[in-house]
Amino acid sequence: MERFVDAAPDVRLWAEERGAPDAPALLLIMGAQASGLGWPDELVELLAVRHRVIRYDHRDTGRSTWSFDEQPYPLTALAEDAIAVLDAFGVQRAHVVGMSLGGMLTQLLVADRPERLLSATVIGTNALSSTPYVAPDGHRVPPEELPGVSAELMEMWSRPVEDLGPGAELERRVEHWRVLGGDLIPYDAAYARELERRIIAHTGHHHAGTAHARADHSGMDRTEQLARTRVPALIISAPAEPVAPPPHAEHLAQVIHGARLVEIPGMGHALPHEVHAPLAAAILEHTGRS
C-alpha cells in the first residue's frame, strides 16, 4: 500500500508498506539522494515474510517534495521525517534499518528517540562518535584518521553533474553503481540499469538531486548517547565497501553499546542480488533476537 505522509509544513513524503499489517514493523531508511526504491523489491519481500516493511522517499528524492532551494533544512530533519513516517502508519515502535546516510539517521534515532526503536541495523556508514577506533593490536585511531572514500569514487563525485538528458543520466547512475558496488561481486549493469529506470519513472523526472550534500551536516555527534544506548544494534560489515571502508563497521560496533557485527561476503556500498539473501537473513536473525 502506498500513501503520502505530511512530515513538515509543505513537505510530503511518499511511503509504501508491504507484509502483514499485524507483523512487527520494520522501517527502511535509504542513503543520500536515494529513493526508497533503492531498497530492491526482492530484499523487501524477503523481509516482509516476517515484518510489516515500510520504505519511503526522503525529501528531495523520488515522489516526495523537492523543496530544498526554497526551504533549506539540516540533515537532522531527515531523522525527524523517519519518525513522522512511523506516526503516519500508526507505528509506536519499529525495527529500523539504515544504509549510508540512512545509517547515520538510524544512529540519530538510536540516540535521540530510543523509545521508538525495537532494534537498529546500520549499513555502510561511519560512526557519529568521536571515540577512537581500537585496532586489534590495541592501537587507538581517531575517527578522522580512519580510511576515507575510495579515490575512484571521490574522482567521480568531484565531477560536475551535467544534465545531458535522461539517457546520459541513466548511464551516469549505472556507472556510479559499478563503483559503489566494489570489486568482489561481479557487476550486473543490466540489473542496475533496470533499477534506475524504475526510480526515474517513479520520480517522474531524471534530474539528479544535490540537496543532501548541501544540507547542514552540523550537530550530528552522538558519542555519549551511542555509548550508553540499550537499543539492540546490528552493524553490517561489507569487505568491498568504498564509502566507509573497513574498519568503519568495526568502529561502529565498538562505539554503539552492545552492538553485534556481521559480515556479508563480497558486499560493497550497494545491494545487488547476491547480497539479498544473506543480508535479509542477518537482519531477520537480529530482529528475532530483539
Side-chain angles (χ1 to χ4, degrees):
M1 179 183 75
E2 299 180 26
R3 64 177 296 176
F4 283 92
V5 173
D6 292 315
D10 301 318
V11 175
R12 304 192 80 197
L13 307 178
W14 173 89
E16 175 199 65
E17 66 174 334
R18 298 190 186 187
D22 59 347
L26 188 152
L27 181 69
L28 298 173
I29 308 180
M30 241 304 146
Q33 299 304 152
S35 160
L37 269 61
W39 296 103
D41 286 349
E42 180 184 13
L43 176 60
V44 172
E45 293 298 338
L46 289 170
L47 297 172
V49 170
R50 285 183 25 200
H51 289 287
R52 178 190 181 191
V53 180
I54 301 169
R55 60 179 173 175
Y56 67 100
D57 292 340
H58 291 298
R59 306 182 193 198
D60 292 277
T61 75
R63 294 175 62 192
S64 293
T65 302
W66 290 56
S67 61
F68 183 83
D69 290 335
E70 295 77 31
Q71 288 182 282
Y73 49 82
L75 282 183
T76 52
L78 301 182
E80 297 168 9
D81 288 350
I83 295 297
V85 171
L86 293 181
D87 288 344
F89 282 90
V91 175
Q92 183 57 39
R93 300 182 72 199
H95 301 281
V96 177
V97 180
M99 181 166 184
S100 196
L101 172 61
M104 293 184 181
L105 301 179
T106 300
Q107 291 177 71
L108 291 178
L109 296 178
V110 167
D112 300 343
R113 302 302 300 271
E115 78 282 0
R116 301 301 300 270
L117 273 63
L118 292 169
S119 75
T121 300
V122 180
I123 307 168
T125 194
N126 58 287
L128 301 183
S129 172
S130 60
T131 301
Y133 165 65
V134 181
D137 64 1
H139 181 61
R140 296 171 69 83
V141 183
E144 62 272 16
E145 295 181 14
L146 292 175
V149 176
S150 74
E152 185 177 13
L153 198 52
M154 283 298 295
E155 191 280 327
M156 177 173 284
W157 287 353
S158 70
R159 303 176 203 161
V161 179
E162 300 180 84
D163 187 350
L164 300 177
E169 173 60 17
L170 176 62
E171 293 310 309
R172 184 191 71 82
R173 297 185 190 189
V174 171
E175 175 64 7
H176 190 215
W177 281 121
R178 181 191 67 77
V179 179
L180 286 172
D183 57 4
L184 296 182
I185 293 175
Y187 180 54
D188 186 343
Y191 174 87
R193 188 172 290 109
E194 180 56 29
L195 173 64
E196 285 298 337
R197 282 199 182 105
R198 290 187 59 235
I199 290 173
I200 289 170
H202 167 77
T203 304
H205 62 78
H206 69 277
H207 306 301
T210 60
H212 300 163
R214 292 182 288 141
D216 181 1
H217 289 60
S218 65
M220 295 181 68
D221 185 279
R222 295 295 187 275
T223 300
E224 294 183 7
Q225 297 94 323
L226 295 175
R228 65 172 185 259
T229 186
R230 297 301 180 202
V231 176
L234 171 67
I235 312 303
I236 298 298
S237 174
E241 170 66 62
V243 176
H248 279 279
E250 289 79 2
H251 182 223
L252 263 167
Q254 292 175 3
V255 303
I256 300 179
H257 176 78
R260 297 188 305 116
L261 186 71
V262 172
E263 180 175 308
I264 304 299
M267 187 172 174
H269 199 81
L271 299 171
H273 171 78
E274 289 85 351
V275 308
H276 296 173
L279 180 59
I283 294 170
L284 292 176
E285 195 273 338
H286 178 58
T287 61
R289 282 172 170 243
S290 306

